[in-house]
């Protein structure tokens, strides 16, 4: 399935990392320019170079993000198109046997799973995680150039944020995901039987029972989705806390280094009294 599409995937991942680098560069250069302006430089020309980089990063970031989205969606659409062709050919070859054994509702559920989740799995799962891993490796490598202690601290925090926490969340959500898939299959079977047999429901006077059964299954699906969303929110909260810990570790390392170098020696020697 990846044959012929590997170059597009690599290109999309590289654009994702470069877009993150440009976002970090924009934050750094804008903060540096504001700090330099607040320090009242001798001439306004001192702000020319930082403002130039702010313009470069500010213009380049949305452009890179646009081409990243364009290339990633192009790759995903080509991949899912090949998957769907393979699936539809397999279903066409065994439609009669599957209809007799599984029922029309199960076949509709299979097609809905393909259409509804194949693209989201890659766009919202595989590509962001792969881009985060590549960016984490770049950050750890750059931190290793500065300090082995900082490299180890960032490696531990980023490993927990990008590997351990998503793995725990995925394992905790696995049972709910299976339950949601089972409910979807049952819902498609029930709705397909109800639509095909609507005349029997009306003639028997059990229209309310037909509607209430579908509503009950829909409520079960909403409850399962709500539990999964709560767990994803907890995962995002933990990831943000770990990211803040990375920032704190970087600031603490910078304070120690500059204090040892005498940059902050005057501030460190000031008595609180």
């Amino acid at each position: 399935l990846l044959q012929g599409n590997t170059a597009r995937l690599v290109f999309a991942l590289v654009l994702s990392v470069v877009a993150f680098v440009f976002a970090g560069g924009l934050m750094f250069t804008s903060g540096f320019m504001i700090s330099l302006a607040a320090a009242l430089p001798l001439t306004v020309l001192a702000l020319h170079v930082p403002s130039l980089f702010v313009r470069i990063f500010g213009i380049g970031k949305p452009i890179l993000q646009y081409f990243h989205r364009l290339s990633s969606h192009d790759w995903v659409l080509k991949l899912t198109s090949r998957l769907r062709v393979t699936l539809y050919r397999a279903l066409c070859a065994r439609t009669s046997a599957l209809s007799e054994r599984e029922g029309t509702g199960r076949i509709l559920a299979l097609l809905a799973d393909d259409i509804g989740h194949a693209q989201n799995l890659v766009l919202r799962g595989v590509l962001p995680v792969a881009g985060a891993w590549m960016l984490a490796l770049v950050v750890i490598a750059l931190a290793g150039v500065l300090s082995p202690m900082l490299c180890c601290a960032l490696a531990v925090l980023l490993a927990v944020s990008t590997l351990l926490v998503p793995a725990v969340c995925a394992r905790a959500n696995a049972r709910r995901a299976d339950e949601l898939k089972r409910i979807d299959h049952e819902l498609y079977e029930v709705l397909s039987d109800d639509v095909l047999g609507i005349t029997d429901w009306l003639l028997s006077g059990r229209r309310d029972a037909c509607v209430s059964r579908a509503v009950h299954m829909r409520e079960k699906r909403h409850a399962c989705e709500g539990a999964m969303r709560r767990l994803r929110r907890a995962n995002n909260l933990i990831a943000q806390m770990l990211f803040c810990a990375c920032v704190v570790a970087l600031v603490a390392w910078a304070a120690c280094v500059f204090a040892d170098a005498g940059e902050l020696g005057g501030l460190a020697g000031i008595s609180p009294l």
Side-chain angles (χ1 to χ4, degrees), residues 116-139:
H117 302 292
Q119 294 180 138
N120 291 333
L121 174 64
V122 180
L123 286 176
R124 299 181 181 180
V126 176
L127 288 179
V129 170
W133 287 347
M134 292 180 62
L135 184 63
L137 292 176
V138 172
V139 171

Side-chain angles (χ1 to χ4, degrees), residues 15 17 23 56 62 85 87 90 101 112 116 138 163 176 189 200 245 256-257 273:
L15 284 180
V17 174
I56 291 173
V85 168
L87 174 64
R101 187 175 71 252
V138 172
L163 295 176
R176 294 186 180 92
E189 290 179 0
D200 297 334
C256 294
V257 169
L273 298 176

Side-chain angles (χ1 to χ4, degrees), residues 125-160:
V126 176
L127 288 179
V129 170
W133 287 347
M134 292 180 62
L135 184 63
L137 292 176
V138 172
V139 171
I140 293 171
L142 294 177
V145 176
L146 299 175
S147 170
M149 184 178 298
L150 178 64
C151 177
C152 294
L154 292 182
V156 171
L157 292 173
L158 291 176
V160 173

Side-chain angles (χ1 to χ4, degrees), residues 169-189:
C169 180
R171 184 174 181 83
N173 258 342
R175 182 179 60 83
R176 294 186 180 92
D178 293 338
E179 179 69 14
L180 182 63
K181 186 176 181 180
R182 184 186 63 81
I183 292 174
D184 284 340
H185 284 192
E186 291 181 359
L187 187 60
Y188 274 103
E189 290 179 0

Side-chain angles (χ1 to χ4, degrees), residues 111-250:
L111 295 177
D113 284 340
D114 165 67
I115 296 173
H117 302 292
Q119 294 180 138
N120 291 333
L121 174 64
V122 180
L123 286 176
R124 299 181 181 180
V126 176
L127 288 179
V129 170
W133 287 347
M134 292 180 62
L135 184 63
L137 292 176
V138 172
V139 171
I140 293 171
L142 294 177
V145 176
L146 299 175
S147 170
M149 184 178 298
L150 178 64
C151 177
C152 294
L154 292 182
V156 171
L157 292 173
L158 291 176
V160 173
S161 177
T162 59
L163 295 176
L164 182 60
V165 174
V168 172
C169 180
R171 184 174 181 83
N173 258 342
R175 182 179 60 83
R176 294 186 180 92
D178 293 338
E179 179 69 14
L180 182 63
K181 186 176 181 180
R182 184 186 63 81
I183 292 174
D184 284 340
H185 284 192
E186 291 181 359
L187 187 60
Y188 274 103
E189 290 179 0
V190 168
L191 290 178
S192 60
D193 291 341
D194 290 344
V195 170
L196 295 176
I198 188 65
T199 304
D200 297 334
W201 284 106
L202 293 176
L203 292 177
S204 62
R206 300 186 60 191
R207 183 184 61 182
D208 295 336
C210 171
V211 174
S212 62
R213 182 175 64 165
V215 170
H216 175 67
M217 296 189 65
R218 189 68 178 176
E219 290 176 351
K220 287 176 58 179
R221 190 181 189 280
H222 285 326
C224 187
E225 285 182 335
M228 296 178 68
R229 282 195 299 268
R230 288 191 294 270
L231 189 57
R232 283 195 294 267
R233 287 195 294 266
N235 178 24
N236 294 334
L237 176 62
I238 295 174
Q240 292 296 327
M241 293 173 63
L242 291 172
F243 177 75
C244 291
C246 292
V247 175
V248 170
L250 182 60

